[in-house]
Amino acid sequence: MRNCREGTLLTSDKMALYMVNRRLLAGCQRCGAFISARIRNVATNNPRIQRRRCFVTGSALFAYCQSRNKLDLPEPDPGKLTQEYLLKSSSARTADSVSAILSQTARALIDAEEKYREVVKALIQLTEHHLTVLGSVEEEHIWDVILEARQRAEKFNERRKDLDLLFSCVQKLVDSSAEVAFLTGANFSSTSLGERLHNAQRHVDSAKAESHRAEEDLRKVQAKSVKIIADHAEAEKKRKKDENDDNWNEDKEIIDLFDEDS
């Protein structure tokens, strides 16, 4: 295939003969029309090819492409490239880059908050389940799973703290970039940065609030768990003491009977 210009043939006579022998395709990369020697007789009746504004003439193997008109862009005027214009253009491009950093950082922080919140909710469920299996064989296994979940929660918590610190730095960068854009006359870029920072801060605060509520629920369940486990341990201790007392009383009765027989 070869690129074609408007109103030019795609293949020469020699190229056409070679392509017929090899049964290769000739066409325009710009409009996507592909015409081969085998289908040239039906190509003119193919509505798909007609829609692509390409056609085949006679038995010659070439295509004529009616491409779009080229954009007639004016040459840049060096006289308009003033310092004010260059400062405004540079600050606008900088604002776009800072906006991308803000979006990526906010998204990463929100994802970290969601992962941390999922682990915290899993810890709540495991803790509640642990209270139902106290004293059973399953208790040790559940406790191992709780320890593993705590390690994961600590890992995600460190990650969200790091991203929170990064987000604070990005906020300062956005404020500075918005001020520079405003001072250089790029008012639209400055306003857009302020709006994006406000939206990002709103979503981040919402994710943090949900994580805080999950942490509060976990603390309540843990406090309840400590009390129940302490009561269970006290009851277990009392039960063992009662069993020991009963065993001692039985042994004492046996000794007394042995003494009376003697």
Side-chain angles (χ1 to χ4, degrees), residues 99 102-103 106 110 167 170-171 174-175 178 190-206:
S99 177
L102 174 64
S103 299
I110 292 173
F167 186 75
V170 172
Q171 283 180 306
V174 171
D175 291 335
S190 177
T191 304
S192 298
L193 273 179
E195 292 177 352
R196 291 174 182 176
L197 177 60
H198 176 73
N199 292 333
Q201 185 66 60
R202 180 167 55 86
H203 287 89
V204 168
D205 290 342
S206 177

Side-chain angles (χ1 to χ4, degrees), residues 31-168:
C31 63
F34 300 97
I35 306 169
S36 69
R38 297 178 61 185
I39 63 171
R40 65 175 182 269
N41 294 327
V42 297
T44 54
N45 297 324
N46 193 329
R48 294 180 60 186
I49 296 179
Q50 291 179 359
R51 284 198 298 268
R52 295 178 184 273
R53 299 174 63 83
C54 291
F55 59 90
V56 179
T57 60
S59 61
L61 183 61
F62 62 86
Y64 182 83
C65 175
Q66 296 179 350
S67 60
R68 296 181 180 178
N69 294 329
K70 296 182 179 179
L71 296 177
D72 187 13
L73 298 177
E75 294 291 335
D77 186 6
K80 294 182 180 180
L81 301 178
T82 61
Q83 291 183 349
E84 290 78 8
Y85 173 81
L86 294 176
L87 286 172
K88 180 179 179 180
S89 178
S90 299
S91 62
R93 289 194 297 269
T94 302
D96 292 338
S97 300
V98 172
S99 177
I101 295 175
L102 174 64
S103 299
Q104 295 298 328
T105 306
R107 182 68 263 175
L109 179 56
I110 292 173
D111 290 343
E113 293 287 347
E114 290 177 353
K115 292 179 180 179
Y116 173 72
R117 188 165 57 251
E118 290 177 358
V119 177
V120 171
K121 290 181 178 179
L123 265 175
I124 293 174
Q125 296 177 355
L126 288 172
T127 304
E128 291 177 344
H129 181 65
H130 177 254
L131 299 178
T132 62
V133 296
L134 291 176
S136 65
V137 180
E138 189 181 358
E139 180 183 1
E140 184 177 356
H141 174 68
I142 294 298
W143 185 249
D144 292 338
V145 177
I146 290 176
L147 293 178
E148 182 180 357
R150 286 180 179 177
Q151 292 178 355
R152 292 180 58 197
E154 184 178 355
K155 177 181 177 181
F156 286 127
N157 190 27
E158 292 296 329
R159 173 64 175 169
R160 62 192 281 262
K161 286 181 179 179
D162 294 340
L163 289 173
D164 189 27
L165 178 60
L166 176 61
F167 186 75
S168 300

